[in-house]
Amino acid sequence: MLTIHAAPLLLPAGAAPGTDAPGADTRGTGTAVVDGAVLVDGDRIAAFGPYEELAEQAPGARVRRWPGVLTPGLRQWHPLWLLRHCYHPDPREADELGEEPLWGEKLAALGDLTETRWSGSVRRGVQRMLRYGTTAVASPGARFRDPLVATAVARSGLTVVGTTGAPGTLLGERPGLDPFTEGYDLHGTVDAPLSVGGRADLAVFDVPDETALRERGAVTCVATVLAGRLVYRAR
């Protein structure tokens, strides 16, 4: 089934309106599009550009309209730390442990966790990543040796990429679920710019432009599309 994802501003690779982002091809596919959209066919991008053009191209497509900015999916550099050095509480534990990931002394205070409990935490951690527009996670050799992480990531459909180009130092005391905490702009935070025929990995943020997105971060994510599937929506 064809689906059109539309938003007031489409940023195919991170660009201000009317400018070309680094790496944009000769057709200007890196250029921001006001009232833009992405046409998805199955798990692939069939086209992207002005909404009116895509609606004319695919008149029978289902249309999902989103607020804010539509971008490629984001890349998380530190999935192993976030999944195995943090405990993501079960909602049933919220009264006792809260809702935020536990690490350091708070994690140590939980004692030795069973594999079953760790497995649940890892699955919940992956779901939390999706809430931040993440569609790709990095690991050396583009694979995870930890079986709990490898299984959860494979089941989620997240793309596993290598660590080439990973930042050498953190801006804060620890990695964050928000990929923008690394300090990159959108072009440096997305896994890859949109491309016709590429996998339909998208994220939507309820902000007016890229500047606001960098300032407020991926906590503004309202939808994540993974290989054409809507895996998270906030509204």
Side-chain angles (χ1 to χ4, degrees):
M1 181 177 182
L2 294 175
T3 300
I4 296 176
H5 293 274
L9 184 64
L10 169 66
L11 297 176
T19 65
D20 287 330
D25 67 22
T26 56
R27 296 175 301 163
T29 55
T31 302
V33 181
V34 175
D35 194 17
V38 179
L39 176 62
V40 175
D41 185 358
D43 65 348
R44 298 288 149 178
I45 295 174
F48 59 93
Y51 168 74
E52 290 186 358
E53 293 183 8
L54 269 59
E56 183 177 350
Q57 177 181 336
R62 173 178 57 185
V63 177
R64 293 189 182 275
R65 288 194 172 275
W66 304 105
V69 174
L70 174 60
T71 78
L74 308 185
R75 175 189 55 237
Q76 172 56 251
W77 285 118
H78 306 285
L80 192 59
W81 195 96
L82 290 166
L83 296 176
R84 289 300 259 161
H85 291 271
C86 292
Y87 178 75
H88 299 268
D90 187 290
R92 293 169 294 185
E93 302 173 307
D95 289 344
E96 177 185 0
L97 301 178
E99 299 179 354
E100 295 302 312
L102 305 179
W103 58 284
E105 293 181 357
K106 291 183 178 180
L107 174 60
L110 297 179
D112 292 331
L113 300 179
T114 65
E115 183 169 323
T116 298
R117 200 172 178 191
W118 263 122
S119 179
S121 171
V122 169
R123 290 195 303 272
R124 291 188 293 272
V126 167
Q127 290 299 314
R128 288 177 68 93
M129 289 181 185
L130 296 175
R131 295 178 185 180
Y132 285 82
T134 298
T135 59
V137 289
S139 182
R143 62 186 296 264
F144 291 101
R145 298 184 183 277
D146 185 296
L148 293 182
V149 174
T151 298
V153 168
R155 288 177 176 173
S156 72
L158 287 166
T159 296
V160 183
V161 298
T163 54
T164 301
T169 58
L170 291 171
L171 292 181
E173 61 179 335
R174 64 182 178 88
L177 284 163
D178 185 341
F180 284 105
T181 59
E182 299 295 346
Y184 289 106
D185 60 9
L186 180 61
H187 184 71
T189 306
V190 298
D191 176 47
L194 299 183
S195 63
V196 175
R199 204 172 91 145
D201 290 343
L202 310 171
V204 187
F205 304 94
D206 191 5
V207 293
D209 52 35
E210 182 179 351
T211 298
L213 175 56
R214 293 177 63 186
E215 291 175 350
R216 297 177 57 190
V219 70
T220 59
C221 181
V222 293
T224 304
V225 177
L226 192 62
R229 296 179 296 116
L230 182 61
V231 294
Y232 168 70
R233 67 179 301 168
R235 57 181 66 182

